[in-house]
Amino acid sequence: MSSADAVIREAAWLSSFSPTDGLPALLAAQDGPFDVVQPYHPRTPASRQRQLYVLRRRIQEVRTANVRRMARHLFELRIVWPASSPTGSAEVVQQSLDEAVELVLQRIGGLMLDKTHGGRFLSVAEDPAEVAVDFADPAPSLRDRADLTCIISYSADDVEING
């Protein structure tokens, strides 16, 4: 593992699904809410699709011992949610975004007693034990028939290395 592939590892966790682990699916192909779950933001994002992009905002090198260090990643999940519904109700669209965010939070929380995201990290959302969700004001998006957006941020500690 390398800190260079942390975004790819986290996107793999978010898009993975096992019907036996109790965690929700996020991809629409597995009955989840998102059409797109991918690492990095594309040059030309899909239009009118429910999208989740995994980005990294920061890497912090943490010295854990004299010759040991660990990379701490600050992840940002950027959600883009179409502001349209078959009923034309703006409230229904906002509620469906809230429901999708809840599923993402469950997926970030991971398995009971395993905060490693399937062994991809030492721990996720544990130090600090915080996940933040910031919603953009929906009024301009609804007025302009644009997409609703929100950002979910949290940290992940990578495996320790000598250095």
Side-chain angles (χ1 to χ4, degrees):
M1 282 189 264
S2 156
S3 68
D5 66 1
V7 171
I8 293 167
R9 285 184 275 145
E10 185 63 0
W13 169 255
L14 293 171
S15 60
S16 66
F17 175 68
S18 169
T20 60
D21 68 11
L23 293 175
L26 295 183
L27 281 169
Q30 302 156 336
D31 291 327
F34 294 96
D35 301 307
V36 175
V37 174
Q38 77 172 53
Y40 305 110
H41 200 281
R43 182 181 305 274
T44 51
S47 61
R48 311 313 298 161
Q49 289 192 336
R50 300 159 303 179
Q51 304 161 65
L52 185 152
Y53 298 108
V54 181
L55 308 170
R56 181 172 46 191
R57 287 289 152 236
R58 180 179 48 204
I59 301 173
Q60 179 183 2
E61 286 276 324
V62 178
R63 178 81 45 199
T64 58
N66 187 33
V67 295
R68 304 284 292 161
R69 59 188 171 90
M70 174 182 60
R72 178 167 294 148
H73 310 280
L74 178 61
F75 287 123
E76 175 181 299
L77 306 183
R78 185 169 299 163
I79 295 177
V80 180
W81 198 262
S84 60
S85 77
T87 66
S89 169
E91 294 85 352
V92 168
V93 172
Q94 293 169 79
Q95 179 63 48
S96 65
L97 173 58
D98 282 344
E99 292 165 359
V101 166
E102 175 60 29
L103 296 178
V104 173
L105 293 175
Q106 289 175 30
R107 192 97 200 138
I108 292 168
L111 301 166
M112 180 68 82
L113 303 175
D114 180 7
K115 303 304 179 188
T116 67
H117 284 189
R120 291 170 176 87
F121 297 93
L122 181 63
S123 68
V124 179
E126 293 293 304
D127 188 15
E130 174 181 293
V131 178
V133 182
D134 296 303
F135 294 88
D137 180 0
S141 295
L142 295 171
R143 179 191 64 231
D144 298 338
R145 299 175 193 237
D147 296 323
L148 301 174
T149 60
C150 73
I151 301 292
I152 301 174
S153 56
Y154 56 97
S155 66
D157 289 341
D158 231 330
V159 295
E160 291 183 322
I161 59 172
N162 289 324

